[in-house]
Amino acid sequence: MNRTLIAAIGVVALLGVAACGSDDGGSAASDAAPEDRNETLTVWLMGEADSTWPELVEQVNGQFNETYPNVDVNVQYQQWGDKTTKLDAALGGSEYPDVVELGNTETMTYILNGALAEIDPADYDNSDTWIGGLVDTCTAEGAMYCVPYYAGSRVAVYNADMFEEVTGSAEFPATEDELLDALAALDEEYGQDQAYSPMYLAGRNWHAAMSYVAGYGGRIAEYNEDSGEWEATLSTPEAQAGIEHYVDLVKEWNRGDQTKDEEDHALAMAQEKSALIYGNGWEAGVVVHGEEGNEDLDGVIQVAGMPGPNGEPLPSFIGGSDLAIIEKSDVKDLAAEWIAMFTSEESMEVLASKDTLPNNTKQLEPLKDNPVTAPMAHAVPDAWFTPIAPGWSMIEQQGVLQNMLLDVLRGTPVEEATAEADEQINKLINSEV
């Protein structure tokens, strides 16, 4: 995180925390013996925990209840589409979670409005090697307000059999020129099926589009040290080149509804209607083992680094999630212990076994030698991230980037669409909410 920005927003963040702090001593550990604690600990996790590592949730809850046998751990699974709306409503009322999972682009808003309690990194395993990009999303004025949970990076998820059929090799192309040749061959081989897309690249997949912006050396916004504010930069030649390149790929290779987002791109692969998507590494498992997956593709769906423009690998967005304690919680001590168990070294091993990147570089390193996880693990050090700005969440909520991409797809010149997007971003990005 830009330290000047931290200084600028830190006072707001700390004042917000003080304003929202409870007066009932909820932040202090109870004097009661562990076996005499009989509260409820409410935990909001996203659906991935239920679908991909449910045994970890069960294991940690069991471990927790060995110490606190009479505490009811109430895990509630949320969906990304409406989680923040539900959380905002809950925080305004009297029933709210004690622990909440936040996407790493969501945290700053809740830090600034005082919703999250400060945490002590020393209470958590491997905090000295937490991945820097995740640490930054939890940090304001030198204090931390959430615990890194897992990291994610975007990779090529591809059907090795289809690629081998047209190229003679199951290996993924190393350069973009080679990839474009392979996509043309895939189109010739399978294109008689009008529902088939050689590459299912969704028009509103802004994470993917901004990777191409980064590939050309552009950025969404930059922090101006002189003004002390963030300024949108999508109108720069570099950013515009990346957007144009992305939209050209969508138009050329996605034969479906190009105005959709990436929500169903794994389903397209599971139905063998596409040979390639660009997404989270764990989505390879969704293609095969998901609720609508195709077990016949086990061993066929592979991951690889995505080649980008100018002969370089495509820079990846570093995604992931953090876990935070709600400031208003009456059981902060229990929340901290549960999070410590859920993010322990042992727990991170479970995530690694699910081809999900752990929260620390110590356990990330061995994954670089695993063919399945290597593309994701190697992408982390050079990954890009969204501006860690106070108004970023509003930019996401209002779909500024998605709408810009749709405009370009529908014929608006890139120069005009990026100028409008920059104007909207500048109105929102420095807003303290």
Side-chain angles (χ1 to χ4, degrees):
M1 176 184 250
N2 185 296
R3 298 303 165 190
T4 305
L5 172 62
I6 291 176
I9 66 177
V11 174
V12 176
L14 295 176
L15 287 176
V17 169
C20 291
S22 60
D23 297 324
D24 54 13
S27 61
S30 170
D31 292 332
E35 61 271 17
D36 294 331
R37 301 289 293 271
N38 60 4
E39 298 99 328
T40 295
L41 178 70
T42 300
V43 178
W44 280 18
L45 293 177
M46 303 311 297
E48 289 83 1
D50 187 33
S51 63
T52 313
W53 44 87
E55 70 274 27
L56 176 59
V57 180
E58 183 178 354
Q59 171 189 316
V60 168
N61 287 346
Q63 179 185 358
F64 185 85
N65 282 137
E66 288 178 6
T67 303
Y68 298 100
N70 296 311
V71 172
D72 177 25
V73 182
N74 177 17
V75 178
Q76 300 176 8
Y77 296 102
Q78 309 297 323
Q79 301 303 315
W80 290 109
D82 64 356
K83 191 275 301 294
T84 56
T85 301
K86 291 176 63 176
L87 181 59
D88 292 346
L91 291 174
S94 59
E95 296 184 8
Y96 39 81
D98 303 293
V99 175
V100 63
E101 176 182 345
L102 295 169
N104 57 1
T105 64
E106 299 172 340
T107 54
M108 189 53 60
T109 293
Y110 292 99
I111 291 173
L112 283 172
N113 67 23
L116 310 183
E118 185 177 342
I119 64 100
D120 183 353
D123 294 338
Y124 303 90
D125 283 359
N126 294 317
S127 59
D128 57 335
T129 63
W130 278 344
I131 291 170
L134 297 180
V135 170
D136 283 349
T137 67
C138 289
T139 303
E141 193 65 6
M144 287 194 69
Y145 295 90
C146 47
V147 177
Y149 174 13
Y150 67 85
S153 59
R154 266 63 175 181
V155 292
V157 181
Y158 72 103
N159 185 309
D161 283 357
M162 287 182 176
F163 271 82
E164 186 171 19
E165 178 69 23
V166 301
T167 68
S169 173
E171 296 293 321
F172 195 71
T175 69
E176 189 175 62
D177 285 343
E178 292 173 354
L179 174 59
L180 295 177
D181 288 342
L183 293 176
L186 286 163
D187 194 31
E188 184 175 349
E189 178 70 20
Y190 300 101
Q192 66 272 15
D193 180 353
Q194 294 184 353
Y196 181 85
S197 297
M199 177 167 60
Y200 190 100
L201 201 56
R204 288 194 288 133
N205 186 347
W206 68 268
H207 290 99
M210 294 305 107
S211 286
Y212 284 90
V213 167
Y216 277 91
R219 297 181 181 181
I220 300 170
E222 293 184 354
Y223 187 72
N224 187 319
E225 298 281 354
D226 294 329
S227 67
E229 292 190 334
W230 287 87
E231 298 174 358
T233 53
L234 290 174
S235 294
T236 62
E238 296 83 1
Q240 290 176 346
I243 293 165
E244 190 155 15
H245 189 115
Y246 179 79
V247 171
D248 286 346
L249 291 173
V250 173
K251 289 180 175 179
E252 182 69 23
W253 305 114
N254 181 357
R255 303 295 157 69
D257 183 351
Q258 296 176 351
T259 66
K260 297 176 72 173
D261 63 21
E262 68 274 24
E263 183 177 351
D264 67 351
H265 65 180
L267 177 60
M269 288 203 78
Q271 295 176 340
E272 299 184 71
K273 297 299 183 182
S274 181
L276 170 64
I277 61 174
Y278 180 64
N280 294 288
W282 51 261
E283 289 183 282
V286 175
V287 173
V288 178
H289 305 297
E291 187 175 338
E292 299 179 277
N294 184 348
E295 296 286 346
D296 291 340
L297 296 178
D298 194 12
V300 175
I301 302 303
Q302 304 289 333
V303 298
M306 188 75 165
N310 306 317
E312 298 292 333
L314 186 66
S316 171
F317 170 74
I318 181 167
S321 281
D322 304 309
L323 294 168
I325 302 168
I326 296 300
E327 173 63 26
K328 294 167 66 174
S329 170
D330 293 333
V331 288
K332 292 190 188 70
D333 60 318
L334 297 180
E337 288 197 50
W338 189 91
I339 293 175
M341 294 178 185
F342 199 66
T343 59
S344 69
E345 184 161 340
E346 181 182 2
S347 295
M348 290 296 106
E349 288 297 331
V350 175
L351 295 189
S353 74
K354 303 292 184 179
D355 299 332
T356 298
L357 302 185
N359 65 4
N360 65 89
T361 57
K362 173 186 172 182
Q363 292 176 278
L364 179 72
E365 197 62 30
L367 300 185
K368 295 179 179 179
D369 297 324
N370 180 337
V372 175
T373 55
M376 297 179 286
H378 281 290
V380 168
D382 298 320
W384 64 272
F385 192 64
T386 56
I388 307 178
W392 177 256
S393 65
M394 289 192 292
I395 294 168
E396 282 198 35
Q397 290 168 13
Q398 295 189 22
V400 174
L401 299 182
Q402 296 95 318
N403 292 335
M404 174 194 68
L405 292 170
L406 282 179
D407 286 345
V408 178
L409 277 166
R410 290 166 174 165
T412 301
V414 171
E415 294 80 2
E416 182 180 333
T418 54
E420 183 176 346
D422 276 354
E423 183 178 354
Q424 294 175 22
I425 289 171
N426 284 333
K427 288 179 181 178
L428 298 170
I429 196 167
N430 296 296
S431 300
E432 296 173 353
V433 289

